[in-house]
Amino acid sequence: MDDIFTQVREGNAFNVRVWLDNTENDLNKGDDHRFSLLHWAAREGRDNIVDMLIKRGARINATNMGDDTPIHLAAAHGHRDVTLMLLHNKANVNAINEHGNTPLHYACFWGYDLIAEDLVNNGALVSVANKFNDVPLDKCKPGMAKMLKDRAVALGQDLSKIPFKDRSWLGYKTRSRDAVLSRHTGIDIKELQLVGHIAKTHSGETWRGSWNGNDIVAKILSMAEVSDRNIRDFKEEFPKLRIFNHPNVLAVLGCCAPKDPPDLVVISQFMPFGSLFNTLHGESGIVVDQNQALRFAIDIARGMEFLHSMEPMIPNFILTSKHVMIDEDLTAKINMADYKFSFHEKGKLFSPAWCSPEALQKAPDTINLRASDMWSFSILLWELETREVPFAELEAMEIGMKVALEGLRLSIPPGISSHMSRLMKICMNEEPGKRPRFDMVIPILEKMKLSG
């Protein structure tokens, strides 16, 4: 297939859909100027492709090298349907680019009165000044300026000029990803610059570093001895972890399996806030209120729903808060780097607090893995609601024995909403076959978020 950016620009929806169906393709990557696929689809007015990309998880507010978001480009090129689609999917209507211009500045400058009115109706501020001290109303013809001013007043806007230096109303800026991150698979360990030790756990050592100018995390698997068979299995298994086309799954970028020294290294993109476990129980500085907790829960459920839709399903992954990462815009992602390779630590479970009773009692190939994941998700819901570590007072081995053999279970404390309490109990049903699927849980969580 030709370059995917060209396919998007030309509106070849069928080819774009085929490309998106390959999990190794990163729909949030950018070209040399960091235009994402959504940037190009919005710029060219390819509304069917815009819709497809949004449904697949394209980042609405990703910025290119000029800090334009897709809605800047849709508004500047007169694509009203695309602009409305982006607005309905929570595009930042007051995002500013490197010149201080908002989408409204461009709609006004080019005389797109309907788009300008749509933007104002959706919260665009008419008094935001750019670097040159021009507000959007300075950019349009008098009749259009009067119409927009009257509309803004009717909506209760304060028309006092907001100077360019005032950025208190801005959100996070998220660049589209460097395409190099998804282009390579086997990586030469000599190209890695490992600069900071993050953690040492039973499964290996984790280092922060850089590769080709990108911030990465390298996990060196803990192995008593690395055999040729281990290296072969490692290289066969890791490609299925390169899942770039879902916003709630953190892909493995590549692997190193050098002969000297004989280490197996898994490489993924650096996440600034670390794991959900660290976010909830460490010193991340993030305030996880009820609304944010529900957003994390929905993100995790969406990621797991996607993983459960894969055939064959990826085995050897245990859902815990330590295996969920939080990126710069507070999106939760299932970390594929925490996959347990077939040859690595056979028969060992190190996170029993999140494991279902049947997972602690039986071999993985004899249980319903999807139902077992739902139990793990219920523990995560408990963790998000209580902000406590499950069974914190017990050692891991003791937790495993008591959950598997003595009926130890988490109690749901008072104060948790009746809806959440009911959902947790359903997801933690003792009979695996009676636990819901993730596609059933997501609408319930979304309804809770809307009612909150």
Side-chain angles (χ1 to χ4, degrees):
M1 186 182 292
D2 291 339
D3 172 60
I4 188 60
F5 295 102
T6 301
Q7 298 291 330
V8 170
R9 285 198 298 271
E10 294 179 352
N12 296 323
F14 176 79
N15 287 348
V16 173
R17 185 177 294 108
V18 171
W19 186 89
L20 288 172
D21 285 341
N22 182 343
T23 59
E24 286 199 30
N25 289 329
D26 182 0
L27 86 168
N28 284 306
K29 72 177 181 179
D31 61 13
D32 292 342
H33 298 283
R34 294 296 177 88
F35 278 69
S36 68
L37 301 180
L38 187 57
H39 277 98
W40 280 116
R43 184 183 186 278
E44 301 300 325
R46 309 297 184 188
D47 52 354
N48 57 338
I49 295 178
V50 168
D51 181 56
M52 190 190 313
L53 290 169
I54 290 173
K55 286 177 178 175
R56 295 293 186 108
R59 283 184 158 171
I60 304 294
N61 295 310
T63 57
N64 62 15
M65 290 180 74
D67 281 343
D68 294 303
T69 63
I71 198 171
H72 278 98
L73 302 179
H77 290 82
H79 303 306
R80 188 185 183 199
D81 287 348
V82 172
T83 302
L84 288 170
M85 203 180 300
L86 293 167
L87 286 170
H88 292 159
N89 284 278
K90 299 184 174 58
N92 181 0
V93 72
N94 287 306
I96 63 169
N97 64 12
E98 63 180 354
H99 304 296
N101 290 322
T102 66
L104 186 57
H105 278 90
Y106 290 113
C108 288
F109 179 79
W110 292 107
Y112 298 125
D113 53 346
L114 292 177
I115 292 177
E117 189 174 5
D118 291 334
L119 292 168
V120 172
N121 286 337
N122 283 274
L125 302 174
V126 300
S127 52
V128 177
N130 63 15
K131 272 189 176 180
F132 311 103
N133 207 34
D134 293 325
V135 300
L137 300 184
D138 296 328
K139 295 288 188 180
C140 53
K141 294 177 181 178
M144 183 176 173
K146 183 180 185 308
M147 179 271 289
L148 293 176
K149 182 178 179 180
D150 291 346
R151 187 68 190 133
V153 170
L155 290 168
Q157 283 194 30
D158 180 356
L159 298 188
S160 303
K161 184 177 284 190
I162 301 171
F164 174 69
K165 65 179 181 180
D166 180 12
R167 299 188 178 188
S168 59
W169 43 277
L170 290 179
Y172 290 94
K173 280 187 184 291
T174 303
R175 287 253 189 260
S176 57
R177 280 198 282 267
D178 186 344
V180 75
L181 291 177
S182 56
R183 194 178 296 146
H184 300 278
T185 53
I187 295 170
D188 187 343
I189 199 167
K190 294 174 185 174
E191 296 176 359
L192 300 179
Q193 285 82 49
L194 303 182
V195 294
H197 189 265
I198 296 176
K200 182 174 182 178
T201 65
H202 56 85
S203 61
E205 290 196 47
T206 306
W207 291 77
R208 183 176 177 180
S210 63
W211 171 65
N212 280 4
N214 295 286
D215 288 334
I216 57 96
V217 170
K219 180 178 180 180
I220 304 171
L221 299 188
S222 176
M223 300 280 292
E225 182 181 357
V226 178
S227 66
D228 288 342
R229 180 169 182 172
N230 292 155
I231 293 172
R232 185 196 68 200
D233 292 346
F234 181 66
K235 289 181 175 179
E236 283 181 1
E237 290 180 40
F238 99 87
K240 64 174 170 266
L241 309 178
R242 288 171 51 79
I243 300 171
F244 288 97
N245 67 349
H246 196 281
N248 302 118
V249 177
L250 180 61
V252 166
L253 299 175
C255 73
C256 298
K259 285 284 188 178
D260 186 24
D263 285 326
L264 302 180
V265 185
V266 179
I267 299 155
S268 54
Q269 192 173 355
F270 175 71
M271 294 285 108
F273 294 118
S275 69
L276 177 61
F277 186 91
N278 178 65
T279 300
L280 291 174
H281 313 302
E283 298 180 358
S284 66
I286 299 173
V287 177
V288 182
D289 57 17
Q290 189 64 26
N291 192 49
Q292 184 59 62
L294 279 168
R295 287 213 300 269
F296 283 153
I298 292 167
D299 285 346
I300 295 163
R302 285 175 177 160
M304 291 304 296
E305 178 195 22
F306 178 79
L307 294 179
H308 281 191
S309 72
M310 299 180 73
E311 291 292 348
M313 199 175 101
I314 293 175
N316 305 329
F317 180 84
I318 297 173
L319 178 60
T320 82
S321 58
K322 297 175 183 178
H323 298 166
V324 174
M325 306 301 285
I326 308 300
D327 78 0
E328 68 271 14
D329 59 4
L330 299 186
T331 299
K333 296 172 176 281
I334 312 297
N335 188 14
M336 289 292 94
D338 287 316
Y339 163 85
K340 188 175 171 185
F341 288 89
S342 61
F343 54 83
H344 192 213
E345 302 177 312
K346 283 188 176 181
K348 295 182 181 179
L349 284 174
F350 292 98
S351 300
W354 289 267
C355 291
S356 67
E358 66 270 18
L360 294 167
Q361 295 164 347
K362 303 173 184 177
D365 57 357
T366 65
I367 66 171
N368 182 336
L369 293 175
R370 290 178 173 85
S372 185
D373 285 341
M374 185 53 69
W375 178 286
S376 302
F377 182 69
S378 70
I379 306 296
L380 274 175
L381 289 177
W382 182 92
E383 199 175 354
L384 285 164
E385 287 290 315
T386 63
R387 315 294 193 272
E388 296 178 11
V389 178
F391 308 118
E393 71 282 3
L394 302 176
E395 295 293 328
M397 184 177 291
E398 194 175 3
I399 295 169
M401 294 289 289
K402 287 181 176 292
V403 169
L405 303 174
E406 299 177 21
L408 177 67
R409 301 291 185 266
L410 289 172
S411 60
I412 300 174
I416 292 178
S417 75
S418 59
H419 296 299
M420 180 57 77
S421 177
R422 192 177 306 118
L423 177 61
M424 288 161 61
K425 288 175 182 176
I426 293 169
C427 296
M428 213 183 293
N429 196 302
E430 293 290 333
E431 293 186 43
K434 292 186 178 179
R435 295 171 202 157
R437 301 185 309 270
F438 281 102
D439 62 346
M440 299 162 67
V441 165
I442 292 168
I444 297 172
L445 291 168
E446 288 176 336
K447 191 173 180 181
M448 284 187 203
K449 185 172 177 294
L450 287 173
S451 61

